[in-house]
């Protein structure tokens, strides 16, 4: 890890930190040919444009946050990329036709006015500023408001998100009523077709173009791409959990079958973990009558096609993260946190600085922050002497507060925090809350952590677990829910909890706080090795390698992740 | 079906209707030997005793309701049975030691007083009255109040019931806190051990005694029986759904592993459907490290034992049910319902009597009555002319109203019914509610049904679907949720709905009401054949035959049910 602080303006986008490994360069040349491009299709593009009357040009551009964009945006520095996405903001909509003009110089140009030329130059400059040295062509599709609404605000969120994170109380929700049916037909299906058609247009007649289609917003897009371009290579990757068929079974048959069949138009269906891959194959077996599944080779034969199911656990860029963790904004926050920790009154016999538990996540019910705090409270009741010695630093971002379930959940979290903190002075409070939209603060807290709590109810992967392993300076103990996707890679050296197990979480928290330094060091060393070994490079190269194998008519190897969850059995409650 | 009305005092317990088939007599002789008995172990015994100061003896006895008791109680007329259960009522507790004295004449008797002798005679007479001609010895175990509370009111209900019916909003519940941990250790585990030990005592040293252990209350009992009697034959049967391993995964590792290992002490683990059998094997594969699973032969090798996983879909007694359906109480209610239906104003061009939709269930969130009514409402909005032609007769019993989720759910149901019925006069209301604790009324309504709605979110089996097929006089269309266990046998000739699919349920309801008479007749004929073929006799014989095969060292055949759910694909929403 570099010790040299450096200036960074965006999320660990170290400009030259990622270097293209030679095997991937060869892979890309092989896959894309001389002038070919990778075609990424996703809901959210890598840059979000915002109208802003306070800046001279009236327009700003920001790099998107979130694991998906962060991971994929690096692509554009290694290979020419065309990226098709939905226009989400007014700014996105405004620049949409300029993006198209930039992406397709041979296409219909503007009106030739000076205004037009100036805006075109501005948009080009904004892209270059946000994604320097990337060969990225953006295509932002403007969907009619009612299409977007049904697609995004009704079907993708909350329906698919809630369902796939098992967040519904099924006797009460979801309700697939006529509104939902209309949102499915005229929203989700229509948006998927529009985005697929736009991506195909962006491919502009290239031979065997290669599409990387992203996530639960776009389950139907592969089918439309395949319809238009039977020879295309398509990999769809789902970033969120794929639940068992019993969860999908509450949905109308036509809906879930369309989802399965949309995905089966891909050459490769990618998922985060072996568990989700098994669930996906079970789901297809249950709902797609004419599919034949070979679970051992993870091959699905459907109609005249062969579809591979593969796992690509997403990860972080270790070098870029290391640099950002030493950047000025993070250093400034580390200093601030250290200062506050030093103000905590030392207890007799205890260490000078308190032990620090850290969590960093959105206040999203699936992240399980409520049970995490309740477990902490139970520990303080059992071991009152810890109240002075321990601080729980929670870097938390409110999210989707317009959804009632989220608002209620956030209120319940605030209530529990208030109960635990009571009337103590700020520095004496057991829980310290920081704004989670400040990513530098999250990394700063993770640097100082003795214990990192990652206890989601269900989580596709969870990158905080991987970031914590890399940036922690005190050999932090990782307390990890086995229902986080990351557990399939990291369970062996974490302290594993079951998400509803409040008592067990309190026990593991105690064990983590008391763990001897040498054990912490040994675990951290092995965890770091695991995360560095299977980083974001590995995630992407694995996909490209499998696609190349399929192109050659080979069967890409069906690798299993380490099935560590099963091997780890804590003697809790037995 | 008999057309001769007969008097019945209890739920279709026709005294001589069930005849022992010759092959089962041979099986029982083979399994039990000369003086052997079947040993049933369950939470609730076949008779519930109540203290009642208003009757001369101060004590009454009633046959238990519910599928489990109804099905198993018939055993006692075919084979000598010892039945061990928890004492649930004050009456049960009062008779407990008298039952033990009756069950074990060689054991310690009473105090020889006249009072004692009189009570003993009374208990004997009550049993003979409730279970005439049965050779049943009852043993009701009195559990300390705190043990019972943890076992029954904390762990079995609601934790296991909610979890296995997928009723939790997982971000909020369950919470395995220290109270739950104590309830697990000192309640559930202790009660399972006590009941297992009582059942072993009741077996009184018999050679290779045969235990039929029932349901989710007693997952740990097989392990304790096996410990005490290594040679015993044990079949555990779970009456409720077995959800996928992802649902169990929220529980502490020790708890779910203990549940799996408790069951793996059986020779045969019985479940209602193929889907649940697969889920069970997946659960063991995920959580029991040293188990090896062969999914094709449904064999689990665990330590030095071989455990078979088998499906025994529970059913009804067709002859007994037919007789009860013609009994005076049912006839009286049929006449009452017919009269009320005739008062409905005929519409021009419509039939004289309205079309009748029927549902009969407890107001239990998993039964999905709310979405059923909302779907009916949607149909009335779409086809307003049906408002006069259709009546929805709902025979509904409130249940577990002390659990907040149940009380809220019942209130929501009342609200929707009030909204749909509006201010209409009773006979003009689209929905007619009847008291579901009146079983004769449920059967009366099912006799008159044109459509029977069985749309649970999840349901182990659902016997109403099977009863409806047998007693319906108008060739009723069965509208069946595919997540009811019964769908694995009955899907092909039902109209299948996905439980959350309100729009689809409304469509299927319309289709059912409009279905031509000849199609209804043909479907009903095939459904009747399926239910008669696989009746309660078949359910029990299949278990005994498999146990006999295991005794002989053979591998009982691994039969699959008809996988009809997958074969039925409605063109909804596609």
């Amino acid at each position: 890890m570099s010790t040299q602080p450096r200036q960074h303006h965006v999320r660990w986008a170290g400009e030259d930190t990622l270097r293209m490994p030679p095997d991937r360069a060869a892979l890309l040349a092989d896959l894309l040919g001389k002038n070919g491009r990778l075609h990424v299709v996703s809901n959210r593009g890598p840059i979000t444009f915002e109208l802003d009357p306070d800046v001279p040009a009236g327009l700003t551009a920001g790099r998107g946050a979130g694991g998906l964009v962060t991971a994929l945006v690096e692509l554009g520095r290694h290979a020419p990329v065309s990226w098709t996405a939905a226009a989400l903001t007014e700014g996105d909509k405004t620049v949409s036709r300029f993006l198209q003009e930039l992406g397709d110089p041979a296409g219909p140009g503007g009106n030739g006015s000076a205004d037009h030329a100036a805006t075109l130059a501005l948009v080009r400059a904004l892209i270059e500023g946000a994604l320097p040295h990337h060969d990225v062509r953006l295509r932002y599709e403007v969907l009619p408001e009612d299409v977007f609404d049904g697609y995004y605000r009704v079907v993708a969120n909350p329906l698919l998100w809630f369902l796939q994170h098992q967040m519904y109380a099924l006797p009460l929700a979801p309700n697939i009523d006529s509104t939902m049916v209309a949102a499915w037909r005229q929203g989700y299906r229509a948006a998927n077709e529009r985005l697929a058609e736009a991506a195909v247009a962006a491919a502009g007649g290239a031979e065997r173009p290669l599409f990387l289609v992203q996530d639960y917003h776009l389950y139907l897009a592969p089918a439309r791409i395949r319809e238009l371009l039977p020879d295309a290579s398509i990999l769809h990757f789902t970033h969120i959990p794929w639940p068992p068929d019993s969860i999908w079974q509450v949905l109308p048959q036509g809906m879930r079958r369309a989802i399965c069949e949309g995905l089966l138009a891909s050459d490769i269906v990618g998922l985060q973990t072996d568990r989700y891959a098994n669930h996906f194959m079970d789901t297809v077996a249950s709902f797609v009558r004419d599919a034949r599944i070979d679970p051992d080779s993870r091959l699905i034969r459907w109609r005249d096609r062969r579809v591979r199911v593969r796992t690509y656990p997403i990860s972080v860029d270790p070098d870029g993260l290391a640099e950002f963790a030493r950047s000025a904004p993070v250093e400034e926050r580390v200093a601030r946190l250290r200062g506050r920790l030093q103000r905590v009154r030392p207890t007799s016999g205890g260490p000078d600085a308190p032990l620090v538990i850290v969590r960093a996540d959105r206040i999203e019910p699936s992240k399980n922050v409520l049970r995490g705090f309740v477990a902490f409270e139970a520990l303080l009741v059992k071991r009152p002497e810890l109240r002075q010695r321990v601080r729980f630093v929670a870097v938390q971002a409110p999210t989707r507060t317009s959804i009632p379930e989220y608002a209620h959940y956030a209120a319940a979290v605030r209530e529990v925090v208030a109960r635990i903190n009571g009337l103590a002075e700020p520095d004496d409070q057991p829980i310290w809350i920081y704004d989670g939209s400040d990513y530098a603060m999250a990394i700063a807290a993770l640097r100082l952590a003795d214990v990192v709590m990652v206890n989601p109810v269900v989580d596709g992967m969870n990158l905080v677990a991987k970031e914590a392993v890399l940036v922690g300076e005190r050999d932090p103990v990782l307390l990890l829910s086995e229902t986080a996707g990351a557990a399939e890679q990291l369970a062996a050296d974490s302290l594993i909890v079951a998400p509803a197990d409040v008592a067990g979480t309190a026990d593991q928290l105690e064990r983590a706080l008391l763990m001897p330094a040498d054990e912490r060091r040994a675990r951290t060393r092995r965890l770091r090795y695991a995360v560095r070994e299977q980083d974001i490079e590995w995630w992407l190269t694995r996909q490209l390698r499998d696609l190349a194998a399929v192109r050659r008519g080979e069967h890409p190897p069906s690798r299993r992740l380490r099935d560590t969850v099963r091997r780890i059995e804590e003697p809790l409650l037995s």
Side-chain angles (χ1 to χ4, degrees), chain A:
Chain A
M1 192 180 292
S2 158
T3 52
Q4 181 69 21
R6 278 228 257 154
Q7 193 73 10
H8 269 78
H9 52 288
V10 286
R11 184 178 170 140
W12 51 277
E15 254 116 74
D16 295 293
T17 51
L18 269 182
R19 275 168 200 81
M20 172 133 56
D23 59 338
R24 200 167 76 192
L27 267 174
L28 284 170
D30 181 25
L31 279 165
L32 303 180
K34 201 172 160 59
N35 294 311
R37 309 181 73 83
L38 273 175
H39 294 277
V40 178
V41 197
S42 68
N43 171 61
R44 183 182 297 275
I47 300 178
T48 301
F49 297 91
E50 300 284 356
L51 301 181
D52 183 350
D54 295 339
V55 298
L59 197 65
T60 64
R63 272 273 295 277
L68 166 59
V69 169
T70 306
L72 281 172
V73 81
E74 301 302 328
L75 271 178
R77 289 197 288 122
H78 304 303
V81 169
S82 287
W83 193 313
T84 302
L88 299 181
T89 61
E90 288 308 308
D92 289 351
K93 291 177 194 168
T94 301
V95 302
S96 166
R97 72 191 169 101
F98 297 100
L99 292 177
Q100 204 165 338
E101 198 178 331
L102 287 172
D104 182 11
N111 54 15
S113 72
D115 262 13
H116 181 91
T119 309
L120 197 65
L122 169 67
V123 170
R124 187 186 284 121
L126 285 172
I127 296 174
E128 175 60 23
L131 301 175
H133 316 306
H134 292 56
D135 179 0
V136 173
R137 290 187 192 158
L138 303 179
R139 189 176 175 120
Y140 283 9
E141 191 66 12
V142 180
L143 299 169
E145 189 53 35
D146 60 328
V147 170
F148 182 78
D149 210 63
Y151 151 70
Y152 189 74
R153 296 198 190 94
V154 183
V155 175
N157 305 306
L159 179 66
L160 294 175
W161 177 275
F162 269 60
L163 195 80
Q164 295 193 235
H165 286 86
Q166 297 177 218
M167 282 163 64
Y168 281 123
L170 291 180
L172 298 171
N175 281 294
I176 313 299
D177 55 13
S178 55
T179 307
M180 184 67 84
V181 171
W184 169 259
R185 286 186 180 141
Q186 286 114 47
Y188 191 80
R189 181 179 290 281
N192 268 258
E193 288 176 357
R194 289 280 293 265
L195 287 165
E197 287 156 14
V200 167
E207 208 183 328
R208 304 189 71 185
L210 195 156
F211 294 89
L212 299 177
V213 186
Q214 304 302 316
D215 226 359
Y216 62 101
H217 309 86
L218 296 175
Y219 288 141
L220 308 185
R224 182 69 184 137
I225 296 174
R226 177 69 61 203
E227 215 168 38
L228 297 170
L229 298 174
D231 281 345
S233 291
I234 308 175
L235 188 151
H236 184 286
F237 183 76
T238 301
H239 293 251
I240 67 174
W242 193 277
D245 56 353
S246 288
I247 300 292
W248 291 101
Q249 208 175 10
V250 303
L251 291 188
Q253 300 184 324
M255 196 183 271
R256 67 201 186 202
R257 198 173 60 236
I259 289 171
C260 289
E261 294 187 0
L263 287 171
L264 290 180
S266 314
D267 296 285
I268 299 178
V269 175
L271 298 140
Q272 296 273 25
T273 70
D274 286 338
R275 182 174 292 274
Y276 304 150
N278 292 337
H279 289 163
F280 176 72
M281 291 188 287
D282 288 348
T283 307
V284 171
S286 289
F287 304 136
V288 182
R289 180 170 39 173
D290 47 352
R292 281 184 304 139
I293 288 103
D294 176 353
D296 288 330
S297 60
R298 295 188 172 179
L299 178 69
I300 300 178
R301 287 188 175 81
W302 182 60
R303 298 185 183 166
D304 56 345
R305 308 198 49 261
R306 296 153 64 92
V307 187
R308 289 87 184 164
V309 181
R310 291 294 180 274
T311 50
Y312 307 108
I314 204 165
S315 191
V316 295
D317 163 22
D319 296 332
L321 177 60
E323 267 193 81
F324 179 65
R326 294 290 168 176
S327 68
V330 175
E331 292 291 355
E332 184 270 315
R333 286 159 180 81
V334 165
R336 190 148 37 104
L337 258 180
R338 277 213 178 100
R340 187 171 175 195
L341 288 166
Q342 275 158 7
R343 289 200 300 277
V344 173
R345 288 180 307 229
T347 46
S348 56
D352 280 19
L355 293 164
V356 180
I357 304 166
V358 173
R359 72 178 304 144
D361 34 29
R362 287 170 294 128
I363 304 184
E364 140 77 64
S366 69
K367 299 289 183 187
N368 212 21
V369 54
L370 197 54
R371 287 199 189 88
F373 284 147
V374 172
F376 179 57
E377 183 181 34
L379 176 61
L380 295 185
V381 168
K382 183 183 165 199
R383 302 275 307 257
E385 74 278 13
L386 290 178
R387 178 170 275 266
Q388 266 311 308
R389 283 196 50 206
V390 176
R391 289 298 176 271
F392 196 144
V393 176
V395 189
Q396 300 199 305
T399 183
R400 297 184 188 170
T401 43
S402 64
I403 300 180
E405 287 89 340
Y406 283 66
H408 293 155
Y409 191 81
V413 170
R414 282 193 299 274
E415 198 175 301
V416 167
V417 171
R419 186 174 75 203
I420 297 171
N421 280 346
L423 300 173
E425 293 298 312
D427 291 344
D428 287 338
Q429 293 174 347
I431 299 176
W432 295 357
I433 302 284
Y434 287 91
D435 173 15
S437 66
D438 180 353
Y439 179 66
M441 176 53 87
I443 296 299
L446 290 175
R447 274 180 56 183
L448 300 184
D450 293 287
V451 180
V452 177
M453 183 187 279
V454 178
N455 70 325
V457 178
V458 188
D459 204 337
M461 175 49 59
N462 196 299
L463 291 181
V464 173
K466 296 184 175 180
E467 291 169 331
V469 162
L470 293 181
V471 306
E473 294 169 4
R474 301 184 182 182
D475 296 327
V477 182
L478 181 60
L479 194 152
L480 183 61
S481 168
E482 62 178 87
T483 46
E488 282 198 13
Q489 295 165 291
L490 307 182
D493 290 299
S494 309
L495 296 191
I496 287 294
V497 295
D501 188 8
V502 173
T505 304
D507 289 346
Q508 293 285 52
L509 209 46
E510 182 178 9
R511 189 175 153 204
L513 292 168
L514 301 179
M515 188 180 284
D518 55 347
E519 186 181 347
R520 280 169 59 159
R521 199 157 42 243
R523 285 174 179 261
T524 301
R525 201 174 50 234
R526 290 189 296 264
L527 287 170
R528 279 207 183 124
Y529 178 79
V531 175
R532 289 189 163 274
E533 189 78 352
Q534 304 188 336
D535 64 359
I536 189 69
E537 287 279 345
W538 174 86
W539 176 76
L540 188 56
T541 305
R542 210 163 130 111
Q543 294 178 54
L544 297 176
R545 197 170 288 152
D546 286 352
L547 278 168
V550 170
R551 276 272 182 90
R552 291 191 303 269
E554 296 167 8
H555 185 71
S558 172
R559 320 171 192 83
R560 293 289 191 284
L561 304 173
R562 291 188 294 161
D563 181 8
T564 42
V565 173
R566 194 176 166 206
R567 284 193 293 126
I568 303 306
E569 294 187 345
E570 299 293 340
L572 304 173
L573 259 187
S574 57

